[in-house]
Amino acid sequence: MTPILRKEDRAAHIYRMAAEIMCRKGYEATSMNDIADAVGLTKAGIYHYIRGKENLLFAIMSYAMDMVDQDVMTPARKLADPEQRLRTIVERHSRRIVEVGGAVTILLEEMNALTPAHRSTIRGRKRAYFELIRWTLVQLAAEGKLRDVNPTVATFSLLGIILWISRWYRPDGNLTPQEVLDSVVETALNAVLRTGEDQERRKPAVARTKVAR
């Protein structure tokens, strides 16, 4: 294993390795010894970074949401144009999964294994991300750029497209990372956005469109 000097880097490495093991074996079947062996630490050594398996799961989920905050939400919020913001969200989140791997993303589904307090924290962070996407779609609807779809349903659908990459993408497959990213972005955007001609036809009706945030 390549030496990792900084504690933050070591912790991130532990989170990614633990997520891969939990995805492969299942959360309940994964032991702390499994994780310690995978990262080259003793069981006592790994407790320097985490206090137990549930705390590790919460740390992995927090790490995943930190990456979404830093790599996706923060850059997207700086963009005033909702169409550009939506493209940025889809492209940056998809790229993160393709480049780093999908195990951490998959593990975000293990909400029931968390304590109520930890579950509430992660659910709140997920909700903030959901609302960023939904409000972006609401703005697009107000501009006549959104297809005739409900923004809430469309948000769930877009997240499904992005998060499902972790289930099917293989780095050793026939598709290059860029081919995957290009196809995912175009599929996602074309699913919710009107074409240029459609947008032009919709302009006169924009004033009559009522969209609730």
Side-chain angles (χ1 to χ4, degrees):
M1 184 177 66
T2 302
I4 300 175
L5 302 179
R6 293 197 308 155
K7 183 176 180 179
E8 312 89 78
D9 293 337
R10 170 71 84 173
H13 180 66
I14 291 171
Y15 300 155
R16 289 194 295 269
M17 292 298 295
E20 290 178 10
I21 296 168
M22 289 176 181
C23 284
R24 186 171 66 250
K25 298 184 65 173
Y27 172 75
E28 295 296 338
T30 299
S31 70
M32 295 298 286
N33 281 330
D34 292 332
I35 298 166
D37 290 343
V39 298
L41 293 172
T42 63
K43 188 174 180 180
I46 203 166
Y47 279 108
H48 177 67
Y49 297 92
I50 49 176
R51 296 195 302 274
K53 197 164 73 167
E54 191 277 337
N55 277 281
L56 173 59
L57 180 62
F58 177 64
I60 292 170
M61 291 186 178
S62 297
Y63 169 74
M65 295 311 303
D66 286 345
M67 295 303 100
V68 171
D69 282 349
Q70 295 168 22
D71 295 349
V72 183
M73 295 175 68
T74 297
R77 283 180 172 137
K78 295 177 181 178
L79 301 173
D81 178 64
E83 186 170 347
Q84 186 181 3
R85 189 188 315 134
L86 182 63
R87 179 177 288 274
T88 296
I89 289 170
V90 175
E91 195 277 334
R92 292 184 74 94
H93 196 166
S94 300
R95 184 179 296 279
R96 177 76 193 177
I97 295 173
V98 168
E99 292 183 348
V100 178
V104 171
T105 300
I106 293 172
L107 212 60
L108 277 169
E109 298 172 11
E110 293 283 354
M111 294 283 287
N112 289 336
L114 295 176
T115 64
H118 284 169
R119 193 181 310 131
S120 177
T121 298
I122 298 299
R123 185 177 290 120
R125 298 187 70 179
K126 285 184 173 182
R127 186 70 191 184
Y129 184 37
F130 181 92
E131 287 300 331
L132 174 63
I133 299 173
R134 195 181 79 87
W135 177 235
T136 298
L137 297 181
V138 167
Q139 288 180 300
L140 287 166
E143 294 179 3
K145 295 180 179 180
L146 191 71
R147 293 185 183 276
D148 290 329
V149 293
N150 180 282
T152 298
V153 175
T155 300
F156 279 118
S157 299
L158 287 173
L159 284 170
I161 291 173
I162 296 168
L163 299 179
W164 199 253
I165 298 171
S166 61
R167 298 286 186 175
W168 61 261
Y169 174 68
R170 295 292 178 270
D172 58 352
N174 294 326
L175 296 173
T176 67
Q178 195 58 52
E179 286 175 327
V180 171
L181 290 171
D182 290 344
S183 293
V184 167
V185 170
E186 292 311 306
T187 298
L189 296 187
N190 287 332
V192 298
L193 294 180
R194 294 180 177 276
T195 64
E197 292 182 359
D198 286 342
Q199 290 180 23
E200 286 300 317
R201 286 197 295 269
R202 287 281 291 180
K203 280 185 178 180
V206 170
R208 299 193 301 272
T209 302
K210 294 182 179 180
V211 184
R213 180 173 178 177

